[in-house]
């Protein structure tokens, strides 16, 4: 067996040396081959490589990694088709390295390979974001890199600590170095408090790049949570993430920034499911991961199409697009209903499994509140962006590739919602549920109906309007503090040997006096 990520990494090299229509064709074919390869992977280990005194396991397939890998590859294929009109050599090469690194992480069987491909993701995504010609992306990409550098160093430190004590590099629930693993995972999956890199970057890059980014980095973080941190109880932290993320999202008027905060909120659902650690919770959490790739990716495609057609993305400036962009509107409605958990769509399936995994009232009511906020957010996006009466000029019609890829993803969302047990059986997730029972459908509809009432009553409050931006990010302050202390120390360290000797003698005197006392 060959790790599917290698197909994309090799493809990136090939794409670097091709151009024009041939490069377009190869980009799509590589993604299609990768999808078929992952779908047909057998469960088990393969492709072991000796490195120094270690046996690296480059392929280890289980049902969860295969499920996530299929959706990773499927969405990568849809993104390639969506982006063909806008793609250049940089995007083709880096996107394949990024997707390849993400897939290689899923199928790595040892901690060192896992770490290596984790960093391949970080470096390739950094260069995808970086653009020297745009000061905002140059700044935000540097911020992105620093945050993920901290996460990468933490992961490496945890791996080394766990290996030095256990003598094993097998990828499994870790026993030692937990604080370092927790920090690495928290940054990668954008846990509240460590999420600040996400909205800064996803809302400022070209829209086809934000479509790609929305599917992988945070989802690999969730997968790492599932594989590495089984001993950590995180379900209550997941509820906090779900609620806080949706509150941040409701404040936004720029759609991509709203969607970015909603990634944080939906990650909370996944954390809850995985944190409960029973079969329904894990299956629900991982299905929610794959569903989120589909409907959140589709929403980024929808707003990307709006940007392409109108050169606008702020809800304050949008409206009346339902008649001018009917296919885009249809896809937006499907994705919005899916993320809200509407019956017969994919989000209903995973949310029902997560909610049924535990009867803990904190989890039940916390996710209920988050569900209301989710519906409110996408009522805000769809009504004010597409259905309210306002004339917005459509400067160019979306091309057929964009529309086709969006319809393909929307069709998949509907198919998963209509045939959920086929999906759970296909990937041997070990759960069965009557998703279309009246009680389950009523459970899904309750937060949506309450959100409709709130939207009607609080219409004027929810309506997009200009407001002062409040930056709640503490990390720049910490950075300025470190720079200031470093500047002071650099001035003190002036190379004067007599001053250093005086400091040393003074310190020794203080220590000596403290012992005497």
């Amino acid at each position: 067996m060959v790790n599917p990520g290698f197909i994309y990494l090799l493809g990136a090299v090939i794409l670097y040396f091709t151009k024009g229509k041939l490069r377009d064709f190869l980009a799509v074919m590589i993604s299609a081959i990768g999808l078929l390869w992952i779908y047909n992977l057998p469960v088990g280990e393969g492709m072991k490589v000796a490195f120094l005194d270690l046996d690296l396991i480059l392929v280890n397939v289980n049902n969860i990694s295969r499920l996530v890998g299929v959706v990773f590859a499927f969405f990568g294929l849809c993104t390639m088709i969506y982006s063909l009109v806008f793609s250049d050599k940089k995007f083709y090469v880096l996107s394949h390295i990024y997707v390849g690194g993400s897939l290689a992480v899923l199928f790595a069987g040892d901690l060192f390979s896992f770490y290596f491909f984790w960093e391949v993701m970080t470096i390739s995504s950094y260069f995808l974001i970086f653009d020297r010609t745009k000061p905002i992306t140059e700044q935000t990409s540097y911020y992105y890199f620093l945050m993920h550098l901290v996460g990468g160093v933490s992961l490496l430190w945890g791996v080394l600590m766990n290996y030095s004590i256990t003598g094993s590099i097998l990828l499994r629930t870790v026993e030692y170095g937990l604080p370092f693993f927790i920090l690495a995972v928290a940054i990668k999956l954008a846990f509240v408090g460590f999420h600040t890199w996400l909205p800064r970057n996803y809302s400022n890059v070209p829209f086809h790049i934000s479509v790609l980014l929305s599917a992988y980095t945070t989802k690999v973080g969730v997968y790492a949570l599932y594989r590495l941190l089984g001993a950590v109880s995180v379900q209550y932290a997941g509820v906090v993430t779900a609620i806080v993320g949706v509150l941040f999202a409701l404040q936004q008027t720029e759609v991509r920034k709203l969607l970015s905060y909603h990634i944080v909120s939906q990650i909370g659902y996944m954390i809850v499911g995985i944190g409960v650690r029973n079969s329904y919770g894990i299956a629900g959490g991982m299905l929610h991961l794959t569903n989120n790739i589909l409907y959140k990716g589709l929403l980024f495609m929808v707003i990307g199409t709006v940007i392409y057609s109108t050169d606008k993305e702020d809800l304050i400036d949008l409206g009346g697009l339902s008649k001018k962009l009917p296919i885009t509107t249809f896809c937006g409605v499907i994705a919005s209903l899916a993320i809200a958990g509407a019956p017969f769509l994919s989000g209903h399936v995973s949310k029902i499994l997560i909610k049924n995994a535990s009867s803990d009232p904190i989890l039940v009511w916390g996710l209920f509140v988050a569900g209301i906020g989710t519906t409110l957010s996408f009522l805000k996006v769809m009504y004010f962006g597409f259905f309210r009466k306002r004339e917005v000029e459509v400067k160019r019609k979306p091309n057929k590739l964009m529309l086709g890829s969006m319809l393909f993803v929307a069709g998949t969302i509907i198919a998963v919602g209509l045939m959920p047990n086929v999906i759970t059986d296909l990937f041997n997730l070990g759960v069965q549920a009557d998703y279309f029972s009246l009680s389950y459908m009523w459970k899904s509809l309750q937060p949506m109906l309450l959100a409709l009432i709130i939207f009607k009553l609080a219409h004027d409050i929810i309506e997009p309007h200009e407001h002062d931006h409040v930056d709640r990010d503490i990390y720049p302050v910490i950075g300025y503090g470190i720079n200031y202390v470093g500047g002071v120390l650099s001035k003190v360290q002036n190379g004067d040997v007599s001053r250093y000797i005086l400091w040393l003698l003074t310190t020794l005197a203080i220590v000596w006096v403290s012992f005497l006392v």
Side-chain angles (χ1 to χ4, degrees):
M1 287 191 292
V2 174
N3 190 311
F6 292 175
I7 297 172
Y8 291 80
L9 296 175
L10 176 61
V13 176
I14 296 171
L15 291 171
Y16 181 83
F17 293 103
T18 56
K19 59 183 178 179
K21 296 294 183 181
L22 175 61
R23 187 166 60 193
D24 294 346
F25 173 77
L26 288 175
V28 174
M29 288 304 300
I30 291 165
S31 298
I33 292 169
L35 174 59
L36 292 173
W37 189 277
I38 295 167
Y39 181 80
N40 289 293
L41 276 177
V43 172
E45 287 186 1
M47 200 175 179
K48 295 183 179 180
V49 175
F51 177 72
L52 300 178
D53 294 330
L54 307 173
D55 290 323
L56 305 182
I57 304 171
L58 299 183
V59 184
N60 185 15
V61 185
N62 58 45
N63 291 320
I64 294 295
S65 63
R66 186 164 158 264
L67 166 66
V68 179
V70 164
V71 179
F72 270 19
F74 171 78
F75 191 77
L77 173 60
C78 293
T79 303
M80 283 301 115
I81 296 171
Y82 180 88
S83 306
L84 281 176
V85 177
F86 321 104
S87 298
D88 55 13
K89 178 184 285 190
K90 174 186 174 182
F91 177 78
Y92 278 127
V93 174
L94 291 175
S95 63
H96 278 74
I97 295 173
Y98 178 53
V99 176
S102 304
L103 285 164
V105 167
L106 297 182
F107 296 104
D110 67 90
L111 287 169
F112 281 103
S113 298
F114 186 90
Y115 166 76
F116 176 79
F117 293 120
W118 181 283
E119 292 298 85
V120 168
M121 282 182 61
T122 297
I123 295 169
S124 57
S125 56
Y126 163 72
F127 283 109
L128 271 169
I129 296 167
F130 178 78
D131 186 348
R132 192 182 298 276
T133 64
K134 297 180 180 179
I136 183 65
T137 54
E138 185 175 11
Q139 179 186 11
T140 58
S141 62
Y142 184 59
Y143 184 95
Y144 176 96
F145 184 75
L146 284 178
M147 289 287 289
H148 286 273
L149 178 63
V150 172
V153 171
S154 297
L155 178 62
L156 178 60
W157 193 256
V159 168
L160 292 173
M161 183 175 291
N162 189 74
Y163 172 67
S164 65
I165 298 174
T166 65
S168 172
I169 62 168
L170 290 177
L171 184 63
R172 59 189 179 190
T173 299
V174 294
E175 302 174 50
Y176 302 96
L178 271 177
F180 299 103
F181 285 106
I182 291 172
L183 178 59
V185 170
I187 291 173
K188 186 69 78 176
L189 60 72
F191 182 76
V192 164
F194 300 96
H195 69 282
T196 50
W197 58 267
L198 198 158
R200 282 176 179 264
N201 286 280
Y202 288 15
S203 60
N204 288 309
V205 295
F207 62 81
H208 63 290
I209 294 179
S210 63
V211 170
L212 182 71
L213 293 172
S214 70
Y216 296 98
T217 300
T218 54
K219 311 312 181 295
V220 167
V222 174
Y223 180 78
L225 172 68
Y226 159 70
R227 291 301 303 268
L228 300 177
L229 301 180
V232 182
S233 181
V234 294
Q235 59 266 39
Y236 300 113
V239 168
V240 173
T241 299
I243 294 174
V244 173
V246 84
L247 289 176
F248 282 148
L250 278 168
Q251 299 174 32
Q252 309 306 314
T253 62
E254 293 181 27
V255 180
R256 283 194 294 171
K257 191 164 285 187
L258 183 152
L259 294 177
S260 297
Y261 280 113
H262 248 291
I263 291 177
V264 177
S265 178
Q266 293 297 300
I267 291 296
Y269 282 86
M270 303 170 208
I271 294 172
V272 170
I274 294 169
V276 172
R277 284 286 162 182
N278 58 34
S279 59
Y280 277 83
I282 292 174
M286 300 312 290
L287 271 175
H288 203 65
L289 182 158
T290 57
N291 288 336
N292 190 260
I293 291 171
L294 296 175
Y295 52 63
K296 187 58 62 64
L298 180 55
L299 285 164
F300 271 98
M301 287 180 173
V302 166
I303 188 56
T305 304
V306 171
I307 296 170
Y308 174 78
S309 300
T310 67
D311 294 329
K312 302 178 187 297
E313 67 170 310
D314 197 309
L315 290 174
I316 295 173
D317 305 319
L318 293 174
L321 294 175
S322 58
K323 294 181 179 179
K324 297 180 178 181
L325 300 173
I327 295 177
T328 304
T329 303
F330 168 77
C331 292
V333 170
I334 292 297
S336 298
L337 289 173
I339 197 172
F344 308 110
L345 295 172
S346 61
H348 167 73
V349 176
S350 51
K351 284 190 174 184
I352 283 297
L353 290 177
I354 293 170
K355 291 173 182 177
N356 288 347
S358 175
S359 58
D360 187 325
I362 297 176
L363 302 182
V364 171
W365 286 102
L367 295 182
F368 187 85
V369 171
I372 294 173
T374 297
T375 304
L376 279 173
S377 298
F378 291 100
L379 279 170
K380 177 179 179 179
V381 171
M382 294 310 299
Y383 177 76
F384 293 110
F386 292 86
F387 292 105
R388 67 169 164 178
K389 294 181 180 179
R390 172 177 287 189
E391 286 298 321
V392 176
E393 181 186 1
V394 173
K395 299 179 180 180
R396 59 190 73 88
K397 292 288 186 180
N399 66 69
K400 293 180 180 179
L401 292 174
M402 297 172 73
L403 297 177
S405 58
M406 287 194 294
L407 287 171
F408 198 20
V409 177
T412 304
I413 291 170
I414 296 170
V416 173
L418 292 175
M419 299 181 292
N421 284 322
V422 173
I423 302 301
T424 56
D425 291 343
L426 185 63
F427 293 97
N428 298 314
L429 298 184
V431 292
Q432 288 285 334
D434 184 6
Y435 301 99
F436 308 121
S437 69
L438 291 178
S439 61
Y440 280 178
M441 289 195 287
W442 174 238
K443 185 180 290 188
S444 292
L445 289 172
Q446 286 176 9
M448 298 175 65
L449 294 173
L450 281 173
L452 281 168
I453 295 170
I454 295 170
F455 186 81
K456 180 65 176 179
L457 295 176
H459 179 277
D460 293 340
I461 298 174
I462 297 172
E463 183 175 9
H465 57 275
E466 298 285 353
H467 59 275
D468 295 332
H469 173 71
V470 179
D471 192 352
R472 301 179 179 87
D473 189 354
I474 64 170
Y475 297 114
V477 177
I478 294 173
Y480 294 143
I482 293 173
N483 283 338
Y484 176 78
V485 172
V488 171
L489 291 176
S490 66
K491 292 178 182 178
V492 172
Q493 301 291 339
N494 59 2
D496 187 344
V497 177
S498 60
R499 178 178 294 183
Y500 296 163
I501 294 173
L502 178 61
W503 289 349
L504 178 61
L505 293 175
T506 303
T507 303
L508 290 173
I510 293 171
V511 172
W512 181 66
V513 170
S514 65
F515 275 113
L516 289 178
V517 173

